[in-house]
Amino acid sequence: MMPAVLHSTSTEPDSTNNTQTPRRHLLLSQDFKTLTNIDTIRENLRLLDEEETFIDTALDTILSNESELHSILGRLDDIRPSLSTLQIDTSVLWETIHGTSHLAEKISDKVRQLDQEQSRAKEAIRYVEDVQELRYCVAGVQEAMKRKDYEEAAGLLQRASHIDSAILQGTLAEFTVPTSENPDHPSKTLADAKSSLFTIFSQCFDDAVAQRNETAITRYFKLFPLIHCQTQGLDKYSHFVCNIIKARCAEELKIGEVASPIYFADALTRLFENIAVLIDQHQPFVETHYGGGKMLRVIQRLQEEADTQSSTHLDRFLQARKLESKLVEIQSLSITKTRLNTMNRSTGIQPTPSPVVSEATHALVDPRTLDINLLELSLISQRSTLFHSFIHERANEEMETFAHDEKQEDIIMNGKDKRYYGDNGLLLSSVLTKRMKEVMNIYLVIDEYLLKGNVEKAMLLDTYDPDVGHTSTCVDDIFFILKKVLKRSITTCEPEVVRSTVRAVTRVLETGFLQLLEQKMNTTFSGHESGSRNAEKLLEQAKINYMVVLNNMDVSTEYTHQLVKELIVEANELVWKNKKQDIDSVEQMLVELEAVTEKFQRLLKNGIEQLMSQILKPRIRPMFQESYHEVKYVLDEEEYNEADVEDLFVKRFRNGFDVLMNLYRSTLTTNNFSVLVGLVFDATALQWERIIAQTRFNEYGALRFDKDLRSIVQYFSGIVEWLSRDRFTRVYQMSTLLNFEQPSEIYEHWGSKAGSVSWRLTVTEVKKIMALRLDFDTEQISSLSL
C-alpha cells in the first residue's frame, strides 16, 4: 500500500505536465539580465507566472496528502524493531549455511576420491577378469581342438574376440596367459587357432558337400561366423548351392529332349526356377546364422552361376537350332533379292517375289521352322527378364536391411570391384544380359525377314470375294501377321526389340503395303479402253477393284487403331526390367506406329475424291437432265395438281440416284460410302443450284419445287445414318425466296429479323433468285434495300 501511495503523490504533477517539463527547464536556465526586448521580457514574465502557479499547485497537492504520509511513516516505525531482529536471525542463518556448505564440500571431495579409487579398483578387477577370461579361452580353445569339439572351440574363440584388444596386447596378458604348452603370445595363439579352425571347417564342409551330408553341411556352415569368417562361409555356401544348380543343368542338358520346339526356353525356365527356389529356401537359414541381408552374398554368386549356365544353354541353343547358319543364309538371300530387284527395275521387269516364297522349299530357312525359332527366342527373352526382375527385387530387399551399415556392406562386397556393381550389390551388366542382346539381334533379323516375306506373300495371294466382306484377303492376312509379330515382340519384354520391330512394321506398312495400294489405285483404270468389247463390264470391274482398294485402306486404319490398343493393354500386363520406364517407352513406340494411319487416311481421302471427280461427278448433271425432262415450274392450278399426282421429278431422280449409287453402296464400307455420298450430296446441291438459277417459276411452280426439294432431302436421309441438312441450306433458302407472296416479304427474314437463320446467299443472289418468279415485279426486286 505504501509504495503505491508514494508513487502517486510523487508523479501526479509530472504526469499531468509532461509536455511542459522541457519548456520549464529551458525557461529557468535563461539569463534574464541579458533580456533587452520588451516583448521578450513580457513573455518570460508570463511564463514565470505560469511556472509559479504550477509549483503552487504541486505543493498544495503534496500538503493535501500529509496525513497519509504520516500514517505510512508510523507504520515503518512500528515494524523497525522486527526488522532488527530479522537482520540478526538472517546473519545467524547465513553463518550456519556457510559452515554447512564448507563441510559438505569437504565430504564431497572425500566421496569423489573414494569413487575414483573404487572405479580404478573395479577397472583393475575387470582387467584381471578379462585376462583370466582370455587365459581360459586360450586354454579352452586348445583343449577343445584336441577333443575335436569344434563347436566349443569356435564358441570360445568368439568369446575371446569380445575382449578388448588393449588387454589382448597388454603386458599382463603377455606374462600371465602363456603356458609351457602354449608359450606364444595370446594374440598369436588365437590367430593360429582361428586359422586352424577355418582350415578344418572348410575341409569338413567340403567333405560334407561331397558326401551330400546335409546335417554336416549345416553344422559347419554355422561355425564360420563364430570365428569371424562370414565372407568365407558365405562363399563356401554359395559354392555349394551353385554346384546344385550346375549338377541339375548338366543333367538337364544330358537327358533333355532337344527336338522339342521350345526345349531351350523350358530348360532356361527350369534353371531360373531352381535358382529362385534355392533363394527362397535358403534365405531364412542364412539369415538365422549370419544375420539379415547376408543372403545377398549368395545371390551374387547365384547370379554369376546363372550367367555361366545360361550361356551354356544359349550356346547349345544356337548350335542345335543352327541359327547362325540361318542368319547367314537369310542375309545371302536378302542380298540376292535386292540385286535382282535392282536389275529388274533397271530393265522394267516387275520385282521378284520374296525369298520366303521362292525359297520356301529350303529347309534351313523354312518359314514354319523360323517361326518356331522366333517363338522360342521370345520365350527365352521373357523368362530372362522375369528372372532379372526377381533377382534384383530380392537383392534390393537384402540391401535395405543394412540401412547404410558400411561394415555389413563390406562383408558382402569383400573382394569385389564396386565399380561394376550397382546399389543393390548385383552386376550392372551381367553376362546373361549381354548374351541376350546378342541372341535378340538374331531374332530381329529373322523376324524382319519373315515379316517382309509373309506380307509380300499375302499381297501376291490377294483375292476379293464380295460374299465374304468389303475388303480383299490381304488386309486380314497382313494384320494377322502384324499382330502376331508385334505381340511376340512385346512378350520378349525388351523395349529395344519392340522398338526395332515397330520400325520394321512401319516400314512394311509404308513402303510395302501402302505403296502397293497406291499403285493399284493409280493403275486400276489405266488399261481400260472405252471402245473395246465388254468395255462396260471391264469398267464396272475396275470400279469394284478401285473401291476394294479404298476399303482396304479404311479397314487397315481401323485395324491399326484396334491393334495398338490391344498391344498397350498386353504390355501393361507383362513384367519388365524397369516397369514404368519400359512401359512408357513401349507405349510411345506404339503411338508412333499408330501415326501411319494418317497416311492411310490421306491416301484414302485422295482416292475417294478422285473417284468422285472422275466417275460420279460427270454423271450428276445428266441425271438431273433426265429427271427434269418435260418437268416445269411454271404451272397453273390444274397442272400443279397433275404434277403432284405424277411426281415425275422425284421418281426419276430417286431411280437415277439408286442406279448411280447401288454399286458403291454394296461395295464400299460404311465409312467410305458415307464419305463418298457426302461428296455426291455436295455436288448434287451445287448442280441443283445451277439448274434453279436457269429455271422460271410462278407461285404454283415454287410450291411444286419446295415439295420436290423436301422429298429428295428426305430420300437422302434414308441413304445415310445421319444427313447434315447444312449441305442443302442454300437450296432451301432459294426455295424460301421463291415461295414468298411478294418480294417485300424478304424484310421479315433479313437482317435483325433473321433470328437464328444464317443466310448463305448474297444480296445479289437473293435478288437474282427472286427475279426467277415471273409474277414478281422486277422493279420492286431491284429496289429492295438489303
Side-chain angles (χ1 to χ4, degrees), residues 452 504-516 596:
K452 290 180 178 179
V505 168
T506 303
R507 285 195 299 271
V508 167
L509 285 175
E510 291 179 349
T511 61
F513 184 50
L514 192 60
Q515 282 188 0
L516 189 57
V596 77

Side-chain angles (χ1 to χ4, degrees), residues 421-666:
Y421 290 82
D423 294 336
N424 61 2
L426 295 183
L427 288 167
L428 291 172
S429 180
S430 65
V431 175
L432 176 59
T433 302
K434 296 176 182 177
R435 289 301 306 274
M436 285 309 306
K437 287 182 179 179
E438 296 172 2
V439 171
M440 295 314 291
N441 286 334
I442 299 176
Y443 170 94
L444 291 173
V445 173
I446 297 175
D447 189 51
E448 185 172 2
Y449 168 77
L450 282 181
L451 173 64
K452 290 180 178 179
N454 288 330
V455 168
E456 290 180 9
K457 184 176 181 180
M459 297 299 294
L460 288 172
L461 301 178
D462 186 29
T463 58
Y464 170 68
D465 184 354
D467 296 330
V468 175
H470 294 291
T471 63
S472 61
T473 58
C474 72
V475 176
D476 286 337
D477 291 344
I478 287 175
F479 275 89
F480 172 80
I481 295 167
L482 298 184
K483 182 176 182 179
K484 180 178 180 181
V485 168
L486 288 169
K487 280 195 171 186
R488 186 167 56 202
S489 72
I490 288 179
T491 58
T492 64
C493 300
E494 283 289 347
E496 290 302 321
V497 173
V498 178
R499 178 179 287 105
S500 298
T501 304
V502 168
R503 288 174 180 171
V505 168
T506 303
R507 285 195 299 271
V508 167
L509 285 175
E510 291 179 349
T511 61
F513 184 50
L514 192 60
Q515 282 188 0
L516 189 57
L517 293 178
E518 185 175 9
Q519 181 183 353
K520 287 185 176 181
M521 284 176 56
N522 296 333
T523 58
T524 298
F525 298 101
S526 60
H528 174 67
E529 297 180 4
S530 58
S532 62
R533 248 180 232 181
N534 300 325
E536 185 175 349
K537 185 176 180 181
L538 293 174
L539 178 61
E540 198 80 359
Q541 186 59 46
K543 291 179 184 178
I544 293 174
N545 294 338
Y546 190 87
M547 286 186 284
V548 169
V549 175
L550 297 179
N551 292 342
N552 288 346
M553 286 186 284
D554 178 45
V555 174
S556 295
T557 301
E558 180 184 349
Y559 280 0
T560 303
H561 289 304
Q562 182 179 350
L563 178 59
V564 168
K565 289 180 181 178
E566 291 179 6
L567 293 174
I568 289 176
V569 172
E570 184 164 340
N572 281 273
E573 294 174 350
L574 296 172
V575 177
W576 301 80
K577 292 179 181 177
N578 303 300
K579 189 171 181 63
K580 187 179 184 307
Q581 179 181 346
D582 289 348
I583 290 179
D584 290 345
S585 177
V586 169
E587 288 183 356
Q588 180 62 34
M589 298 170 206
L590 294 176
V591 170
E592 293 175 3
L593 171 64
E594 197 172 14
V596 77
T597 58
E598 296 177 2
K599 296 183 179 181
F600 278 114
Q601 291 172 339
R602 186 162 54 249
L603 184 59
L604 176 60
K605 180 175 179 291
N606 293 337
I608 293 177
E609 290 175 351
Q610 186 177 1
L611 180 65
M612 173 65 197
S613 62
Q614 295 184 6
I615 304 297
L616 289 173
K617 189 175 182 180
R619 297 187 58 184
I620 293 177
R621 186 169 178 271
M623 181 180 66
F624 269 105
Q625 290 175 342
E626 184 178 349
S627 300
Y628 272 122
H629 181 63
E630 297 182 352
V631 174
K632 60 182 180 177
Y633 288 123
V634 179
L635 307 170
D636 55 24
E637 184 176 358
E638 183 178 351
E639 289 175 329
Y640 173 79
N641 292 331
E642 183 179 348
D644 200 25
V645 173
E646 293 179 350
D647 203 13
L648 285 178
F649 170 74
V650 174
K651 290 179 180 177
R652 290 172 180 172
F653 186 89
R654 290 181 60 174
N655 182 63
F657 198 86
D658 285 341
V659 171
L660 178 66
M661 299 303 296
N662 276 342
L663 178 63
Y664 303 96
R665 185 183 305 173
S666 61

Side-chain angles (χ1 to χ4, degrees), residues 686-749:
L686 183 61
Q687 182 62 36
W688 212 348
E689 290 177 24
R690 294 171 182 166
I691 293 174
I692 292 170
Q694 300 172 4
T695 306
R696 298 297 178 182
F697 297 83
N698 62 3
E699 182 178 1
Y700 282 110
L703 288 173
R704 180 66 249 170
F705 170 68
D706 188 68
K707 285 187 176 181
D708 290 343
L709 173 61
R710 296 182 185 279
S711 296
I712 295 303
V713 172
Q714 183 178 4
Y715 162 69
F716 283 163
S717 300
I719 294 177
V720 293
E721 294 182 0
W722 181 80
L723 174 66
S724 174
R725 295 180 179 270
D726 187 64
R727 300 177 187 274
F728 296 92
T729 298
R730 285 173 56 87
V731 184
Y732 269 117
Q733 291 178 356
M734 290 178 178
S735 177
T736 300
L737 293 172
L738 292 171
N739 279 278
F740 284 163
E741 294 183 1
Q742 54 186 357
S744 60
E745 192 176 343
I746 184 65
Y747 292 124
E748 299 177 7
H749 303 274

Side-chain angles (χ1 to χ4, degrees), residues 245-258 263-264 267-268 270-271 308-317:
I245 298 298
K246 189 181 299 183
R248 291 178 180 176
C249 289
E251 186 70 16
E252 172 76 34
L253 294 175
K254 184 177 180 180
I255 64 173
E257 294 292 335
V258 179
Y263 163 74
F264 289 100
L268 279 171
R270 285 188 285 272
L271 165 63
T308 302
Q309 297 303 324
S310 58
S311 293
T312 302
H313 279 73
L314 290 175
D315 290 338
R316 288 285 302 275
F317 167 70

Side-chain angles (χ1 to χ4, degrees), residues 756-773:
S756 60
V757 177
S758 176
W759 282 90
R760 302 290 182 84
L761 301 174
T762 65
V763 174
T764 302
E765 289 174 332
V766 168
K767 292 181 178 181
K768 184 177 179 181
I769 295 301
M770 294 179 69
L772 297 176
R773 279 282 296 269

Side-chain angles (χ1 to χ4, degrees), residues 4-13 61-62 65 68-69:
V5 174
L6 289 173
H7 178 73
S8 63
T9 58
S10 62
T11 61
E12 185 176 355
T61 302
I62 293 171
N65 294 327
E68 188 175 354
L69 290 172

